[in-house]
Amino acid sequence: MSLATKTTLAAIKNDLEGYIGKKISLKANRGRKKAMERTGILEQIYPSHFLVLINEENFNRRLSFSYADILTETVELTLYSKDDKKIRFSVS
């Protein structure tokens, strides 16, 4: 892993830290024409991954994704501002 990639992953982590506890939508490519779209709460940030709490019909579910998933565009995030405006998360 190159130094640029490490700093890029750190930048993604730092950008997401401001959205802990806030609503986000995600679209995850699971391969073989399988995609998942969910809306939940960004629950926790860890050094190499983050957790999203999804409230489904009868239970809560936690999904884990790595920052590399965002970098490789396997996962697309949409963040919500205080007034519920959608902000597409992109790597700068």
Side-chain angles (χ1 to χ4, degrees):
M1 185 182 296
S2 70
L3 184 59
T5 304
K6 286 182 182 180
T7 57
T8 304
L9 294 176
I12 293 170
K13 178 182 178 265
N14 290 337
D15 290 346
L16 285 178
E17 283 179 347
Y19 289 92
I20 293 175
K22 297 190 175 144
K23 179 178 163 183
I24 65 169
S25 292
L26 59 92
K27 182 177 179 182
N29 180 3
R30 295 292 188 182
R32 304 283 295 173
K33 299 181 183 178
K34 295 178 187 175
M36 172 183 68
E37 292 187 39
R38 300 283 189 272
T39 300
I41 304 293
L42 181 60
E43 186 176 48
Q44 191 66 279
I45 299 276
Y46 293 100
S48 61
H49 67 280
F50 59 97
L51 294 179
V52 179
L53 179 64
I54 307 294
N55 186 2
E56 296 189 344
E57 292 179 19
N58 295 326
F59 61 94
N60 289 333
R61 181 175 167 188
R62 286 180 179 81
L63 301 175
S64 175
F65 300 97
S66 71
Y67 305 115
D69 291 336
I70 296 172
L71 185 63
T72 60
E73 298 178 353
T74 303
V75 173
E76 297 175 11
L77 293 180
T78 302
L79 309 170
Y80 290 84
S81 65
K82 291 180 184 178
D83 54 352
D84 256 2
K85 287 188 180 181
K86 293 182 179 182
I87 304 164
R88 180 154 156 57
F89 185 82
S90 62
V91 178
S92 29

